[in-house]
Amino acid sequence: MSSAHRWRRRIVAAVLVGLFAAGIMVARQHYRRETAHLSRGFPECLVASPDGAKVAFGTVVGGSRNVYTIDLSTGKLLGLLYGVARIYALTWAPDGSELAMCTDEGAWLVPTDGSARARPIGSSKTGDAAFPASGRYVGMGFHPPFDRTEALVLDRQEGTYYHIPCSSSTELAWAGDRLVRLTGGAKPCLEELRLDSGAASQAWLAWAAAESAPPLGWNTLGPTRRLLAAGDRIFAAPIDPRRAAVTDTAAVVLRVDLVSRRVWQAPLGIRVMDRLPEFSVSPDGRWLAVTFTGVDEEAARMDPAAADGPRLLLFEAVDDPRGLVRRGCIALSGTGVTAVRPSWSPDSHYMVVRGLDLVDIKTRRIVCGLHDRVASQIGYAEWTPPHGLIVTRVGPDESGIYLTQPDSPGARLLFETQPIMPARGQSFVERLLRALRGGP
């Protein structure tokens, strides 16, 4: 064999070895890239940005819990934080510049452009964060305070903290830029708080149970909120309707207008059988919705044999002596177990309620069931204008984030998480071939 021929063989062999090595590097890079986007984890704490352009969520990637945002127009994924503790809540600041993240190890403010590090704002475990309309403050432990001793409010402008005493039956909420507190116990009361010079004090006592009133039940088990606000309107349920049904004490809901300082009380007219009812208020403050499993007393008067089941009760806030007027009680298709918390569209036209029913508030009819559009178990449902409704699907082998519109069928996949390795295992050669073919 001539030296020239041997030389050509060496060159060919070297080229083949180089191509194989380059293929391995490409495969590894592709595999690492896919691993950063795909895992056995599922999207959690899904929350839409104020402008509706993005959603933020946490997900487990390769054993690490990370926080991402996804652009709904481009599908671009941006990693904000990696290796965080268990996440209880993600909340956008009103201007969209930061996320308040509540975890097992405390609370943090996370820049949403990924340009700076997160900064701690609370060292104890907390389950929620809330911003007022202006975004000047951020409150932690409004519902429920894990330690049940105090809630924390940070003045983002001054850098000072307010420590607000709480108990197991206390809830706080922002009404615009005003802070209100509902205190439970045998004699519950609702008050507005003033934040000044590092201390919180009572500015106005809106409502208090009469001294002659019988002891009222109170139960804060589960995610049920008793205190809600939209703009300058406050809605509060000071007692547990289950206890009220037993003691024959009327189960009431309060409506308070902070501008006129008027207070209305309206009976719920329900008998709860299993879980506590869930209260939600529309973004425009016009509607108060109550989802519950039990008996609608108005329907029971007309038909004593009326079956109990999951229902949606709607009250409208009106400016007359009644304050709140019942507008309908809708039978839901769910089983009574709360799959997702009530979620309103920003224009207050639609809401998702127990049983994953999508309800048109104007016609007070169920438009569709989310299970018809997104198969498997559903974890979160969030509205984001102008894109529609963001839904997370949770399955045994795959999960993801989907986008759907109330007035059009189907759903579009935005982000998918699935196992990199099948249950039987997969060799590196198989992964190499899959990566070279462009598969996950």
Side-chain angles (χ1 to χ4, degrees), residues 78-359:
L78 176 64
L80 300 183
L81 211 56
Y82 302 90
V84 302
R86 178 184 177 186
I87 303 171
Y88 291 105
L90 293 171
T91 309
W92 288 84
D95 62 2
S97 63
E98 291 184 309
L99 280 167
M101 180 183 70
C102 299
T103 74
D104 260 335
E105 298 178 350
W108 308 73
L109 283 178
V110 183
T112 55
D113 60 2
S115 63
R117 298 179 62 182
R119 56 190 176 104
I121 55 175
S123 58
S124 60
K125 180 168 66 173
T126 183
D128 68 316
F131 292 90
S134 66
R136 173 173 175 173
Y137 302 94
V138 56
M140 294 154 281
F142 280 16
H143 175 89
F146 275 98
D147 60 9
R148 305 291 183 180
T149 59
E150 68 174 18
L152 194 64
V153 175
L154 167 65
D155 186 330
R156 299 171 68 203
Q157 179 176 309
E158 301 293 335
T160 56
Y161 286 90
Y162 296 86
H163 299 262
I164 303 174
C166 289
S167 67
S168 61
S169 54
T170 301
E171 292 185 32
L172 295 102
W174 295 108
D177 284 327
R178 303 185 186 192
L179 183 61
V180 291
R181 177 171 62 184
L182 178 65
T183 303
K187 303 294 181 182
C189 69
L190 178 65
E191 58 190 334
E192 179 188 350
L193 299 181
R194 179 187 299 110
L195 298 176
D196 186 43
S197 302
S201 58
Q202 186 188 84
W204 176 50
L205 178 62
W207 173 88
E211 288 296 325
S212 59
L216 301 179
W218 182 283
N219 195 327
T220 56
L221 295 176
T224 300
R225 293 180 181 269
R226 297 283 167 192
L227 180 62
L228 299 153
D232 292 318
R233 289 177 176 173
I234 305 169
F235 301 89
I239 64 175
D240 174 2
R242 293 190 305 177
R243 177 70 177 274
V246 173
T247 61
D248 294 327
T249 304
V252 300
V253 62
L254 304 175
R255 175 195 161 193
V256 180
D257 189 311
L258 287 177
V259 176
S260 65
R261 295 201 166 184
R262 293 189 63 182
V263 181
W264 296 267
Q265 297 185 44
L268 287 178
I270 61 176
R271 295 198 301 273
V272 178
M273 299 303 176
D274 298 315
R275 296 172 58 88
L276 297 177
E278 287 182 299
F279 299 87
S280 59
V281 59
S282 61
D284 61 7
R286 178 182 175 184
W287 299 99
L288 174 71
V290 185
T291 51
F292 69 99
T293 300
V295 175
D296 172 27
E297 292 181 348
E298 183 174 294
R301 283 194 297 269
M302 298 177 62
D303 179 10
D308 62 318
R311 301 172 187 272
L312 170 66
L313 183 63
L314 282 174
F315 288 97
E316 183 180 9
V318 294
D319 293 327
D320 66 27
R322 295 172 295 175
L324 282 168
V325 178
R326 172 187 165 127
R327 295 302 190 194
C329 192
I330 305 168
L332 303 177
S333 61
T335 60
V337 176
T338 307
V340 293
R341 294 183 184 179
S343 178
W344 287 86
S345 61
D347 59 10
S348 302
H349 289 171
Y350 299 95
M351 70 178 299
V352 175
V353 293
R354 180 179 301 178
L356 301 172
D357 289 322
L358 183 58
V359 178

Side-chain angles (χ1 to χ4, degrees), residues 22-39:
I24 291 176
M25 292 180 62
V26 169
R28 285 179 172 172
Q29 290 294 331
H30 183 86
Y31 184 62
R32 280 196 288 268
R33 184 172 68 252
E34 292 298 327
T35 303
H37 293 260
L38 305 172
S39 76

